Amino acid sequence: MRITGVNKTFDVEVNLVGSKSESNRALMIGYYGGFTPRINNLSTSDDTILLLTILKSLPVETMCTSSLHDNITIDCQNAGTVLRFLATALSFRDGGYILTGSSRMLQRPIGDLVDALHTMGVDIEYIGKEGFPPLKIHGKNPVETFPETSPIHVDITRSSQFASSLLLAMPVVETFPETSLHLDGDLSSLPYIDMTIDIMQKFGAKVHRDGRDIFVRHSDYQDVKYIVESDWTCASYWYEIVAFSKNGRARLHNLHLDSKQGDAVVAKWFEQFGVQSVQNGNDVIINHVETSPETSQNNQNRILHFDFINNPDLYPTIAATCAGLGIEGHFTGLRNLKYKESDRVEAMTTELSRVETFPETSLPIVFDSHNDHRIAMALAPLAMKIGAIEINNADVVSKSYPNYWKELDKLPTTPTRSSAHQQCE
């Protein structure tokens, strides 16, 4: 994929994708509730489509429906959320299952979730390396066979999804009329757990968090209409684009500054890069505020500090933005990034080291996506600083933002460049 530089003055209307995080949680709630959820703006990402396909292959009447077959193999590909959510769901369902995925998925740890499930009486084992997929699950009806255990402990140092996976199931497990989940280890990505709780509450679950303890009462999920907000992480790449512009303006549809999505913090963070955000109805309008040459020089001499402990998916965007603007960044909270679709710190360090400065040149710099959607999307806007770039395996963006390249086509190209914003090669 070749991407040429764009005119740095633009005004575009941007269609984002529905939040993958919200969509996947709503789908799991429908599964546990025994109904097909009525969801507007469901994400079209590969991960959500995969989860929807897998859930449709299972009977929806109840999570405890007996399986007609044993050792059903389910390929979760490279979708961490899908594998982690299904690990709990299939544990509470009669039958035998093997959960597996891509080679990269088999390198992503799941031991802390499995440990928590073991304390709940789940019969689950590792097929290969201990602590990692693939998993063999001997599912069983929790109503009669699972012991009462409260509180349930789960270590979320490596991923908050371990807690979300358990929480989504807990309201409908009748063995636990009232129980609690205690969050052990270093708190990471806590806003994602709060998002899980908020969505559960919208579907009628009785759940609330007090510090490290989350209290859940047995309750039935209600079949309500749910509107998925656009994805704030995907919005971050448009913040980067506007930050690189001179007078760029973008209207981001179906987005809210008071969102429960943790990555909505990107609006506040990008104020440091001269990007303003304004709520306008159901949209957020962002524009770049031009500064004086003196202010711009001072900005380049300062060091910006970002802690990604709660927002790890924003790291590629912020790292690329700092590099493109020549601003030094001091980053903390990066420990879990090695467990993502790629080792994102290593990947971004490798790619950004390909250029020390960003002068416009007719020769494209070739970047590798590392088979990671967020790496590809964060690197693409650098064409505005370099002039032309190429990204290997660019189609990987479909994992979370399938229409990303189509939306980028809305940006006007620089007259001296190719008339096509993208050129597939």
Side-chain angles (χ1 to χ4, degrees), residues 1 7 10 30 43 46 51 56 60 84 117 122 142 146 155 171 177 209 230 238 274 286 321 345 403:
M1 173 79 72
N7 190 314
F10 54 81
S43 173
D46 287 351
L51 179 60
K56 281 185 174 180
V60 299
R84 292 159 184 167
L117 288 169
V122 169
F146 281 77
D155 192 320
R209 182 173 71 86
S230 291
W238 288 96
I286 59 176
T321 304
V345 174
N403 58 328

Side-chain angles (χ1 to χ4, degrees), residues 366-380:
V366 181
F367 291 119
D368 186 359
S369 70
H370 296 257
N371 200 34
D372 190 324
H373 54 134
R374 304 217 179 278
I375 300 296
M377 289 187 284
L379 292 173

